[in-house]
């Protein structure tokens, strides 16, 4: 998908150092990115290259040391609105049922927060439908710790999407899962994206995952992370598991692998 | 052993242990001809407890009330202070060292001061029960808050949650198991506090009863008082444990604590 005229998210020469003075370590160096509305972006790179840092910068959880982050043409100075986040660790709250966990953003984000009490049935139904769409329809009343790891991650993605955010941030959301479950969840996530067309930023170290899901893959260098390659993935959608065995797919994965290999040399 | 038998055996174990200990005590008293004034036989203690049960009960209830009031105050105050300390690094830096210093003071030393301030009666016992039992509650609640997973905080912050919302949606539920764990310690400490106060100077409660009994060399009654305190302590502990299991079932999914 070609970038639109005015990108939704823009990073201009952003760098970030943790610590101060002599102890400062540069986590991210001079990153420039431009993410269009509705684009699915993946960021890959060796571990510790500042991928997660990049995500926190875009959502405004941390402020850059230099450079500028802009979302919807406004400079980001604090946590931005309309974001959904999912981490590798599912961070579901063990004291809430799965459905109550999924409904958590509705209790915080306006305008849902205001309407939640009066339109309880509507939102309940909405959560139920979302859970059903990822195959968790019967598990809303179960507690997260009664679910398997894959089911927890599905609920985690539901929670990130329930308030219909414009931007979805995924930090290695399937990293802790087995290969079969992971591939199954790629399909579910792609389906959700095709239906809703949110803008997604996926941080991962799984190249096949990146190529399967993304329109554009950014490759980062070793710490301090810099963007060393941008690769557009123009494979037709919806991509299926069989797609991952086609030469076109494998070629892109190889190309990315070779670039990352350079970092380890 | 079937599961049912195993459960039954587990239920019987504490009574069995108690029985064996009391029996050993009884036999030792007879065998070594221990005078009653030094260590009365458990059967004597039981006999006296049955004879004077109305007296024991009256003094026990006095102690129980003062303890429970002091304990309730400790829960309320400890919870608030713990939340403040856990939520704010400034409150933590300012109060934590003072709290440790205060906790190091032997509480027996403050009872005479309390008596100067508020006189004798129930009030010094309530205050002593309170001051001795609130510190573990504060420390535990603060720990529960301070150990919130950073991702959970990030998630809520990225949704635009205020600090207050983070506290109510994550902080407080997260601190609940820590609170209940501390209550089990604090409940028994509260008895130590109230009985301490009654023993140092007072005119009511089981501590006073024990003191006046020992002044009359009536050690059987003194020991009966000790047993009474132990039984009340176990009772309050059991209530705390029961509430804990109902309120924070999610924290015991491993069934480690019973």
């Amino acid at each position: 998908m070609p970038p639109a005229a005015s990108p939704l998210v823009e990073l201009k020469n952003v760098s970030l150092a943790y610590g101060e003075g002599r102890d400062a370590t540069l986590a991210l160096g001079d990153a420039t990115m431009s993410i269009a509305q509705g684009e699915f972006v993946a960021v890959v790179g060796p571990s510790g290259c500042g991928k997660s840092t990049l995500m926190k910068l875009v959502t405004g959880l941390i402020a850059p040391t230099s450079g500028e982050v802009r979302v919807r043409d406004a400079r980001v100075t604090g946590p931005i609105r309309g974001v959904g986040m999912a981490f590798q660790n599912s961070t579901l709250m063990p004291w809430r049922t799965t459905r109550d966990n999924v409904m958590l953003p509705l209790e915080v984000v306006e305008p849902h927060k205001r309407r939640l009490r009066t339109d309880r049935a509507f939102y309940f139904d909405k959560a139920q439908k979302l859970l059903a769409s990822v195959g968790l329809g019967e598990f809303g009343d179960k507690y997260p710790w009664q679910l398997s790891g894959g089911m927890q991650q599905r609920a985690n993605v539901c929670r990130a999407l329930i308030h219909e955010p414009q931007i979805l941030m995924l930090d290695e959301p399937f990293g802790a899962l087995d290969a079969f479950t992971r591939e199954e969840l790629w399909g579910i996530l792609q389906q959700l994206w095709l239906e809703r067309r949110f803008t997604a930023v996926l941080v991962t170290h799984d190249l096949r995952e990146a190529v399967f899901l993304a329109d554009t893959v950014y490759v980062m260098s070793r710490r301090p992370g810099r963007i060393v390659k941008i690769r557009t993935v123009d494979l037709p959608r919806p991509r299926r598991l069989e797609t991952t065995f086609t030469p076109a797919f494998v070629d892109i994965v190889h190309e990315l692998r070779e670039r990352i290999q350079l970092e380890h040399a | 052993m079937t599961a049912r038998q195993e459960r039954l055996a587990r239920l019987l174990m504490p009574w069995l242990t108690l029985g064996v200990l009391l029996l050993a005590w009884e036999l030792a008293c007879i065998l070594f001809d221990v005078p009653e004034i030094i260590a009365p036989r458990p059967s004597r203690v039981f006999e006296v407890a049955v004879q004077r049960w109305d007296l024991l009960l009256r003094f026990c209830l006095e102690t129980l009330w003062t303890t429970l009031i002091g304990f309730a105050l400790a829960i309320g105050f400890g919870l608030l202070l713990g939340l403040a300390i856990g939520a704010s690094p400034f409150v933590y830096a300012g109060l934590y060292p003072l709290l440790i210093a205060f906790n190091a003071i032997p509480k027996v030393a403050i009872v005479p001061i309390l008596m100067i301030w508020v006189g004798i009666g129930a009030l010094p016992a309530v205050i002593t029960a309170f001051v001795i039992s609130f510190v573990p509650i504060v420390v535990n609640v603060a720990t529960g808050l301070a150990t919130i997973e950073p991702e959970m905080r990030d998630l809520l912050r990225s949704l635009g949650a205020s600090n207050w919302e983070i506290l109510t949606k994550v902080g407080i539920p997260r601190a609940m198991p820590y609170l209940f764990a501390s209550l089990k310690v604090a409940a028994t400490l509260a008895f130590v506090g109230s009985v301490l106060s009654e023993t140092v100077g007072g005119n009511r409660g089981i501590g006073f009863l024990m003191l006046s009994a020992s002044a009359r060399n009536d050690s059987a009654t003194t020991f009966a008082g000790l047993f009474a305190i132990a039984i009340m302590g176990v009772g309050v502990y059991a209530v705390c444990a029961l509430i804990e299991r109902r309120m924070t079932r999610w924290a015991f999914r491993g069934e480690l604590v019973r």
Side-chain angles (χ1 to χ4, degrees):
Chain A
M1 187 187 287
S6 172
L8 182 69
V9 179
E10 247 188 314
L11 278 76
K12 289 179 185 162
N13 310 102
V14 170
S15 61
L16 184 105
Y18 286 110
E20 278 169 33
R22 215 183 272 175
D23 295 331
T25 46
L26 196 62
L28 190 73
D30 200 27
T32 297
M33 282 176 91
S34 157
I35 304 168
Q37 171 94 47
E39 192 181 5
F40 203 124
V41 166
V43 181
V44 296
S47 56
C49 71
K51 292 178 300 225
S52 303
T53 303
L54 190 75
M55 244 185 61
K56 286 188 181 175
L57 281 167
V58 173
T59 47
L61 285 173
I62 47 177
T65 313
S66 66
E68 191 181 39
V69 181
R70 298 182 76 85
V71 172
R72 289 180 214 103
D73 239 10
R75 194 187 174 124
V76 173
T77 51
I80 56 168
R81 290 174 167 282
V83 192
M85 285 183 113
F87 302 94
Q88 172 173 358
N89 171 351
S90 71
T91 66
L92 295 169
M93 297 170 183
W95 55 88
R96 286 171 169 248
T97 62
T98 304
R99 188 185 299 104
D100 285 343
N101 262 295
V102 169
M103 289 172 79
L104 173 78
L106 303 175
E107 296 168 22
V108 177
V109 179
E110 295 288 6
H112 311 295
K113 186 177 165 184
R114 235 176 312 133
R115 295 187 198 144
L116 186 59
R117 199 162 292 171
T118 45
D119 292 347
R120 187 93 201 160
F122 167 77
Y123 283 114
F124 186 92
D125 197 46
K126 188 181 165 103
Q128 192 55 44
K129 273 185 188 142
L130 190 58
L131 280 170
S133 74
V134 298
L136 287 179
E138 291 152 41
F139 296 91
D141 292 319
K142 291 258 186 282
Y143 286 89
W145 36 273
Q146 294 171 315
L147 307 182
S148 69
M151 289 157 106
Q152 286 181 24
Q153 276 309 349
R154 288 180 218 198
N156 194 15
V157 171
C158 286
R159 181 177 61 182
L161 287 174
I162 186 90
H163 54 297
E164 295 177 12
Q166 266 188 297
I167 308 172
L168 180 66
M169 291 282 170
L170 301 160
D171 191 354
E172 295 185 20
F174 312 133
L177 303 177
D178 64 276
F180 299 115
T181 313
R182 201 183 309 163
E183 284 165 0
E184 186 193 336
L185 291 190
W186 294 351
I188 288 173
L189 182 59
Q190 177 179 239
Q191 194 55 44
L192 289 170
W193 180 77
L194 287 171
E195 283 163 14
R196 295 158 183 247
R197 287 290 173 163
F198 42 82
T199 306
V201 180
L202 168 73
V203 165
T204 180
H205 49 232
D206 183 341
L207 296 180
R208 292 174 65 240
E209 180 170 297
V211 177
F212 186 92
L213 286 166
D215 298 314
T216 313
V217 180
Y218 288 79
V219 180
M220 290 181 68
S221 69
R222 266 196 304 189
R223 183 176 277 252
R226 285 167 212 285
I227 292 163
V228 290
K229 185 180 176 69
I230 303 172
R231 176 67 160 94
T232 313
V233 182
D234 41 17
L235 301 170
R237 301 218 189 232
R239 296 167 193 162
R240 300 176 199 292
L241 207 50
E242 295 81 63
T243 317
T244 64
F245 301 109
T246 60
F249 187 94
V250 176
D251 284 347
I252 300 173
V253 173
H254 269 296
E255 194 186 323
L256 294 173
R257 159 120 297 153
E258 267 163 29
R259 186 60 193 84
I260 288 179
Q261 216 87 58
L262 285 179
E263 292 304 317
H264 283 281
Chain B
M1 255 199 294
T2 64
R4 200 189 146 89
Q5 279 172 323
E6 200 180 311
R7 253 183 45 198
L8 199 71
R10 218 183 286 179
L11 273 176
L12 285 176
M13 269 318 279
W15 301 105
L16 203 67
T17 321
L18 183 68
V20 169
L21 277 175
L22 289 179
L23 197 69
W25 179 353
E26 182 90 25
L27 288 177
C29 283
I30 296 170
L31 207 67
F32 300 111
D33 203 18
V34 182
E36 188 181 311
I37 189 165
I38 292 176
R41 284 176 288 120
S43 58
R44 257 305 276 164
V45 175
F46 183 71
E47 200 183 313
V48 169
V50 170
Q51 267 171 17
R52 311 181 132 185
W53 67 272
D54 53 338
L55 187 80
L56 272 169
L57 189 69
R58 188 159 60 86
F59 282 92
C60 271
L61 284 179
E62 282 174 1
T63 299
L64 187 64
W65 275 119
T66 50
T67 307
L68 287 181
I69 295 169
F71 184 43
L73 289 174
I75 296 173
F77 181 74
L79 186 60
L80 287 180
L81 193 61
L83 289 176
I85 285 181
S88 158
F90 291 105
V91 181
Y92 177 91
L95 283 183
Y96 209 76
L98 293 183
L99 203 64
I100 300 301
F102 179 76
N103 203 30
I105 299 173
K107 299 303 172 292
V108 67
I110 67 163
V111 177
I113 303 172
L114 284 178
M115 293 191 168
I116 298 171
W117 287 350
V118 299
I120 51 170
L123 198 53
V126 169
I127 298 175
T128 316
F130 162 72
V131 295
I132 208 170
S133 62
F134 83 89
V135 176
I137 301 177
V138 173
V139 172
N140 262 34
V141 170
T143 306
L145 270 195
T147 52
I148 293 174
E149 293 85 344
E151 285 98 349
M152 229 181 239
R153 201 187 293 265
D154 278 352
L155 181 101
L156 275 151
R157 286 218 301 143
S158 75
L159 290 170
S162 62
N163 282 335
W164 175 251
E165 280 173 322
I166 295 178
L167 185 70
T168 53
K169 298 216 180 293
V170 187
I172 292 176
R174 181 73 171 57
M176 281 301 118
Y178 291 81
L179 171 71
F180 284 110
S182 73
L183 290 193
K184 293 192 284 192
V185 179
T188 40
L189 276 179
F191 276 106
V192 174
S194 56
V195 174
L196 183 79
S197 168
E198 288 162 0
T199 318
V200 170
N203 53 2
R204 59 197 301 290
I206 200 80
F208 173 69
L209 179 76
M210 282 162 62
L211 194 72
S212 43
S214 79
R216 292 193 315 270
N217 292 338
D218 179 2
S219 57
T221 307
T222 312
F223 272 87
L226 278 185
F227 279 107
I229 297 168
I231 291 166
M232 287 192 291
V234 171
V236 175
Y237 179 99
V239 171
C240 287
L242 194 75
I243 298 173
E244 172 183 35
R245 275 178 68 83
R246 298 201 60 148
M247 299 277 288
T248 56
R249 201 164 64 87
W250 58 269
F252 297 114
R253 44 204 191 265
E255 290 290 313
L256 267 167
V257 181
R258 287 181 177 271

